[in-house]
Every structure is written in C-alpha cells, then in structure tokens.
Amino acid sequence: MPVLNNKDLLGIKELSADEIKHILDTASGFKDVLKRDIKKVPTLRGRTVVNLFFEPSTRTRTSFELAAKRLSTDVINFSVPTSSVVKGETLIDTALTVQALGADFMIVRHSSSGVPHLLAKNLRASVINAGDGTNEHPTQALLDAFTMREKKGRIEGLEVVIVGDIAHSRVAKSNIYCLTKLGAKVRLVGPPTLIPDGIAKLGVDVYYDMDEGLRGADVVMMLRIQMERQGKGFFPSTEEYFGRWGLTSERFALAKKDAIVMHPGPMNRGIEISSDVADGERSVILEQVTNGLAVRMAVLYLLAGVKA
Amino acid sequence: MSKKLLDKQEIERAIVRISHEIIERNKGVENLCLVGIQKGGVYLAMRLAKKIGEIEKTEIPVGSLDITFYRDDLMIRRQPVVSKTEIPCDVTGKKVVLVDDVFFTGRSIRAAMDAIMDIGRPALIQLAVLIDRGHRELPIRADYVGKNIPTSLDERVEVLLEEDGHEDSVVLMRREDAGAK
C-alpha cells in the first residue's frame, strides 16, 4: 500500500514517476502548513535527524534543518571541520557513531559520488542524499519539479532548458532524470567542454548555441558557474562566458512569453545571469527556496513511513 | 456480507435533527463554523451547513480539515495522500463544530483538535458524528450523534454518500469485506 518502499533517498534515478508524483503531492500539503502562523506539525515528534555534511553548504543544510524542525524532530548538525573525520576516523565509523547517538535520518553531503549509497548499505537509519560529487542532488530536482508544476500546472510536455556546467552538475543530473521521467522535454545548453559526450542517451537534446536552445522554452534553468573551473580550460573567461551563455533579458525574450527562470543558487550575477532577469517578474528563484522546505518535509515524512 | 444500518431517508432525518440541536445548543448560529474531517466528514459538514443555513436563513462557513500530519504512528506507514485543509474563516474566537462520519477510537478527533488549535484558538470545539460505533480509546465524547450503533471490532462501518457517487446509506460489514465497496 505505501507508495515509497525504500528507506533511503539516494537519487532520482532510482525513483519511479509515481513515487516522484507522490512526493510532490505530499509537499503541497506541507506548503500549506508553511503558510500558517504556526508552521510546525507534530508528525515526527521524537525522531532525530543528523545533517552529516562533508562538504560546506549553508543553503541545503539550513533548508533540511528547518524542514526537520517543522516536523518536530530533533536536529544535530555534524560538519567536517569540527568532527573526528579530521582525526582519521573512517567514513563508515563516523556514520555508525552518529547512528549510535540515535539518528533516524542522516542527511549526507559529500564531494565524492556514491558516499550516500555506501552509508545507506551500512546503516539502519534512512539516508537522504543532499548532494554527492557530480552524481545527484535529488531534493533539488524535486523542489525544481514542484516549482515548475506549481507555476505551469503540469510537467508533461514542458520545454525545459538547463544552461551551464552540465558536466560537473549534480543538480543537472538529478533534474534530467526527474524531468524526463515526468514527461518534460529537456534541452541542455553550454560550452562543449562542459557538456559530457553521450549525455543525449538520457533522452535530452544538446545545444551549444544559447539563442537556439532558448527558443520557445517554458522553463529556463541556469546553473551556477563554479569559479574554481575558471582558468582550467573549460571556458576562456567569465566575461566571454557571460557573452555567450549568460542569461540577459534580450536572450530571455527568445523563450515563451510566460517562461519562468530558475536557479538553484547561489547565483553569480553578471556571470551566468544578469540582475534584471534574476530579479525580474518571471524569476521564481526565491520561491524555489521556499518550496525546498516543503519538499524536504515531504521526503522526511514519507521515509519515516517506510520504517514505521 | 453487509447489513444496511441507515438508508437515505434516515440519514436525512439525522442531519435535520443534528442541525436543530447545533442551533439550540449554541443559542443560534453566531460565530458558528463547521469543519469536516477529511475525507468522510467533509460532505456531511457541507450538508449540515446547508441545512442550518436554510433553517436560520443565513450562510454558515464550512471548511475541511486534513489531519494526516497529526495522526499517530500507525497511519504514517500508509503514506496517505494529503487532502486539502481549507477553512474559510479565522477559527479564533469561533464556535467550531468538527464533523466526522464514524466515531470510533477517538484518535482522529484528538488529531483534529490538535490540528485546529494550530490554526487558531477557537472559543469552543464541539463534535458532530453521523455514527457512533463505540470502542473509544481516549476520553472523548460527541456532542451530536446521528445514531449509536454497537459494533464488534471485527466489523467495519461505511458511510456511503451521493457526493462520492454512491446511494446514501450506512452499512455494516465484516472487516475482510471492507474496502471492496
């Protein structure tokens, strides 16, 4: 009878379209809760959530922390610089120690792909992937899908353009899985150096020319250009990048009149997106943040049901 | 194996009687707000609000309440689809009448009271149910009851309504037959 049967959320790749839809439907209920004066429900009272972050993150960690608190759980933040990882403890030992403290959920972020999967196999607790290397960031894709569905009323048939560093982006990867499963048409746009060969196998179209890729789009999703990639031969300079793949209002006009623009944050204004677009009427960037809370509450709630 | 406990006419009579009782107990309809518990109580709340409105010649605010997030652990396992909570008025200071179809253990009502209190601070909360089948597990009682029906734990009471595409009726069935309606 339950829709979700796996104790962990490791990636969108492992989910069915029905499971994704059930998470989004459940998130709608939590979004209503977040609009009230009392934004907290007693649903998961007595459970413990541990944020286990081996890579710095403020937004995702804060979002998970608040989502967990809104469900009345107790939350502990465990981050690398203050942990015993620096003292040489292995990854699994660290996680087992945290579990022994009574963690029911572990929210894991790590710079290596596959770490959440490894931990999930070794733990009783539910593991939620909060970003692993260049692999996946499932809750980001879920909140993006939630936002699109809310704004456009559907996902099926939408023309969604994802622009930027596809090769290094776990956000792009999770979004490709999620959107194709839900029936959207996905286009990837960026410099050839940042779009992996063979990605079209995932059922997406690739464009190297931004104007061509934007034409007729319903949703334009801009990815963050990581400054540390600069000077490594992926693109000549941030100025040239902005000139060719940056989203300006002139370029955005090539998309449909009612197209929306999204960004997972943090934004580099003037590098991948201009300020007038980022702050414009059709930007849903801050709504994505709010929806992230509702989606993460839904994920915690549904996974709690798997183990109850 | 099912037995009809109430037919269309008997349900209608119960609605009429409870409507009068609500008006009488509250000395009118001032500050009254009806809230149906998802899913079974919502249509009944709408029927009661309509009837009370006809009697008092005014419109009675009526809403729906989803209690999924307030349930105890047993329900979490099923991952139920969350329904809408829509209450058209500020419940603070109102006389809120919770409406449900079948009154059983009392756990849903406990959850509903918690859910209402998180939305606002009502002046008072009352409870109206179509069927009271007994087996309470909490110290909760109903203010308005359509019909008391003693049941055994291996039985199930189903309230079927026109709004859901059925013929109005209340039926008693064995647990194993339930769900095949």
Side-chain angles (χ1 to χ4, degrees):
Chain A
M1 178 136 181
V3 184
L4 273 74
N5 288 298
N6 195 327
K7 77 171 173 71
D8 311 296
L9 175 65
L10 301 176
I12 303 292
K13 194 179 181 179
E14 292 87 357
L15 295 180
S16 69
D18 281 344
E19 287 173 313
I20 296 170
K21 283 179 195 156
H22 192 57
I23 296 172
L24 302 185
D25 290 343
T26 306
S28 301
F30 284 114
K31 183 146 189 196
D32 290 343
V33 170
L34 293 172
K35 288 179 192 152
R36 309 190 317 211
D37 288 341
I38 297 177
K39 298 176 178 60
K40 194 172 184 135
V41 287
T43 319
L44 298 185
R45 205 157 43 95
R47 317 245 173 150
T48 304
V49 175
V50 177
N51 276 321
L52 194 56
F53 278 59
F54 298 93
E55 200 186 73
S57 157
T58 312
R59 309 166 151 257
T60 306
R61 205 211 65 219
T62 309
S63 178
F64 268 111
E65 182 173 350
L66 199 51
K69 286 181 170 166
R70 298 283 194 230
L71 289 165
S72 303
T73 66
D74 296 308
V75 189
I76 298 165
N77 290 310
F78 204 86
S79 52
V80 177
T82 55
S83 82
S84 46
V85 175
V86 290
K87 297 177 188 162
E89 194 177 47
T90 73
L91 189 68
I92 294 171
D93 282 339
T94 303
L96 285 171
T97 305
V98 170
Q99 178 169 273
L101 288 171
D104 299 292
F105 296 91
M106 259 181 246
I107 320 294
V108 179
R109 169 168 286 193
H110 201 286
S111 56
S112 296
S113 303
V115 165
H117 307 67
L118 175 70
L119 294 182
K121 262 184 235 148
N122 286 279
L123 296 174
R124 234 177 20 255
S126 287
V127 175
I128 298 173
N129 183 357
D132 63 325
T134 56
N135 179 42
E136 282 221 44
H137 189 353
T139 56
Q140 178 70 43
L142 291 167
L143 77 89
D144 289 339
F146 183 89
T147 307
M148 284 180 222
R149 200 172 75 159
E150 197 175 56
K151 291 287 158 192
K152 296 283 161 200
R154 71 197 158 100
I155 302 240
E156 205 174 347
L158 286 184
E159 297 278 355
V160 182
V161 186
I162 306 176
V163 185
D165 183 355
I166 309 292
H168 301 96
S169 173
R170 53 199 178 205
V171 173
K173 203 83 58 63
S174 288
N175 261 298
I176 292 168
Y177 289 129
C178 186
L179 293 166
T180 51
K181 281 176 195 222
L182 296 178
K185 284 178 241 159
V186 180
R187 307 176 198 166
L188 306 178
V189 179
T193 46
L194 292 176
I195 297 189
D197 285 341
I199 195 145
K201 276 191 303 220
L202 297 178
V204 297
D205 294 319
V206 175
Y207 295 80
Y208 301 120
D209 182 88
M210 177 82 162
D211 292 357
E212 213 180 300
L214 283 177
R215 222 155 262 144
D218 294 291
V219 178
V220 182
M221 186 186 295
M222 302 305 297
L223 299 176
R224 170 183 167 72
I225 281 297
Q226 286 162 319
M227 297 307 208
E228 54 272 29
R229 309 256 181 255
Q230 207 189 343
K232 287 191 178 162
F234 292 111
F235 53 90
S237 68
T238 52
E239 290 76 17
E240 184 165 347
Y241 183 88
F242 184 69
R244 294 189 63 177
W245 293 284
L247 189 66
T248 58
S249 48
E250 297 76 44
R251 281 224 172 95
F252 192 35
L254 294 168
K256 284 197 186 132
K257 274 197 173 58
D258 61 350
I260 53 170
V261 62
M262 305 176 75
H263 194 299
M267 279 187 282
N268 295 306
R269 289 170 184 263
I271 296 175
E272 68 258 0
I273 189 165
S274 70
S275 277
D276 56 343
V277 177
D279 304 331
E281 263 177 3
R282 291 186 283 150
S283 162
V284 297
I285 295 168
L286 291 174
E287 284 169 74
Q288 286 173 265
V289 177
T290 311
N291 292 340
L293 273 180
V295 162
R296 290 179 176 119
M297 286 172 85
V299 168
L300 286 165
Y301 165 74
L302 291 170
L303 293 185
V306 175
K307 295 202 307 169
Chain B
M1 273 289 290
S2 68
K3 190 176 129 201
K4 194 181 260 193
L5 300 173
L6 292 184
D7 63 18
K8 183 178 162 65
Q9 201 177 23
E10 287 166 314
I11 292 175
E12 171 65 15
R13 279 195 205 116
I15 297 277
V16 172
R17 178 174 50 77
I18 292 173
S19 298
H20 283 288
E21 285 175 1
I22 290 174
I23 299 166
E24 195 179 357
R25 170 88 75 94
N26 293 293
K27 302 182 174 64
V29 293
E30 201 186 340
N31 284 326
L32 193 67
C33 176
L34 266 55
V35 175
I37 299 173
Q38 292 276 14
K39 312 219 173 235
V42 178
Y43 292 130
L44 290 171
M46 288 160 78
R47 288 192 193 189
L48 283 170
K50 184 161 174 266
K51 186 55 71 185
I52 295 171
E54 281 168 19
I55 298 165
E56 291 290 302
K57 308 205 166 33
T58 178
E59 200 152 313
I60 307 296
V62 56
S64 61
L65 184 69
D66 184 276
I67 56 168
T68 309
F69 303 142
Y70 294 83
R71 297 253 197 195
D72 36 38
D73 269 7
L74 283 175
M75 291 302 295
I76 284 187
R77 202 178 306 167
R78 295 193 210 158
Q79 303 175 350
V81 174
V82 181
S83 310
K84 278 275 164 207
T85 289
E86 269 169 322
I87 297 180
C89 58
D90 179 3
V91 297
T92 300
K94 294 284 190 316
K95 297 172 179 175
V96 172
V97 181
L98 286 173
V99 182
D100 207 355
D101 53 356
V102 181
F103 189 25
F104 185 25
T105 61
R107 288 177 192 269
S108 315
I109 308 304
R110 195 279 307 159
M113 288 193 285
D114 283 350
I116 283 284
M117 306 275 218
D118 275 2
I119 296 169
R121 187 186 185 283
L124 58 84
I125 298 178
Q126 296 171 345
L127 174 63
V129 296
L130 184 59
I131 304 294
D132 182 349
R133 61 167 294 190
H135 303 287
R136 213 78 68 236
E137 292 169 5
L138 295 171
I140 293 173
R141 59 162 182 77
D143 299 273
Y144 314 101
V145 179
K147 194 173 171 64
N148 283 294
I149 295 171
T151 57
S152 74
L153 281 171
D154 60 1
E155 288 168 328
R156 201 181 152 91
V157 178
E158 294 275 358
V159 174
L160 306 172
L161 297 175
E162 277 170 5
E163 291 91 330
D164 267 327
H166 303 281
E167 188 186 335
D168 274 3
S169 61
V170 178
V171 293
L172 182 72
M173 34 190 152
R174 311 284 306 175
R175 230 165 220 292
E176 54 265 32
D177 306 330
K181 54 176 173 178

